[in-house]
Amino acid sequence: QVQLVESGGGEVQAGESLRLSCAASGSFYRVGDMAWYRQAPGKLRESVARITSSGLPTYADSMEGRFTISRDNVENTVYLDMNSLQPEDTAVYFCNAGVMNNQGFIGDYWGQGTQVTVSS
C-alpha cells in the first residue's frame, strides 16, 4: 500500500509565499514522476507542475516563474514553493506520484489534498 501525505497549506495574504510538501510512504521500490495539481471551487482539477525522477521540472504556463517544484529522492518527497500568491491561486492542492516495484509500474497515487487560501 502506498500513501501520499501533503502538508504546508494554509491561509496567506496576497503576495506572500507558501511551501507545500508531499511525502510518499509504503511498500514500493521507487517513485517515478511526481506532480502537483489544484482544484478551485467549481472548477476542474488542473495541472500545476511535474518533476521527473531525475529532477526535470515542467510547469503550467500560468505558474512558471512563481512556483518551483523540487524533490528529495531519499525522502520520497516532492515540494512546491509558491511565491507571489494571488487570490486566484486559492484551491485544494493535490500531490500525485507514479510508483514502481521491482517489476515495474504499480500505480498512480493521489494525496488527500491540502487547502491553500489567498486573501486580498
Side-chain angles (χ1 to χ4, degrees):
Q1 188 172 359
V2 178
Q3 286 187 318
L4 299 180
V5 179
E6 298 116 333
S7 61
E11 183 168 356
V12 297
Q13 299 288 320
E16 294 183 341
S17 301
L18 275 177
R19 174 178 247 208
L20 305 182
S21 301
C22 172
S25 63
S27 180
F28 55 85
Y29 177 66
R30 70 180 186 91
V31 180
D33 286 10
M34 302 184 82
W36 289 96
Y37 289 75
R38 69 185 187 184
Q39 188 165 18
K43 295 189 177 181
L44 297 175
R45 190 173 297 189
E46 64 175 344
S47 174
V48 174
R50 175 172 295 273
I51 187 166
T52 67
S53 56
S54 59
L56 181 67
T58 56
Y59 299 93
D61 288 344
S62 61
M63 281 40 131
E64 191 156 16
R66 295 192 301 126
F67 293 3
T68 302
I69 190 170
S70 59
R71 65 188 288 166
D72 181 334
N73 286 340
V74 174
E75 300 294 331
N76 293 311
T77 299
V78 64
Y79 303 97
L80 184 68
D81 289 293
M82 305 184 292
N83 298 312
S84 301
L85 284 162
Q86 299 301 315
E88 53 265 34
D89 295 314
T90 295
V92 178
Y93 285 70
F94 295 91
C95 171
N96 170 262
V99 178
M100 274 70 74
N101 63 15
N102 57 6
Q103 296 178 327
F105 182 77
I106 58 173
D108 198 44
Y109 293 86
W110 291 88
Q112 80 287 354
T114 186
Q115 177 70 47
V116 172
T117 302
V118 185
S119 55
S120 57

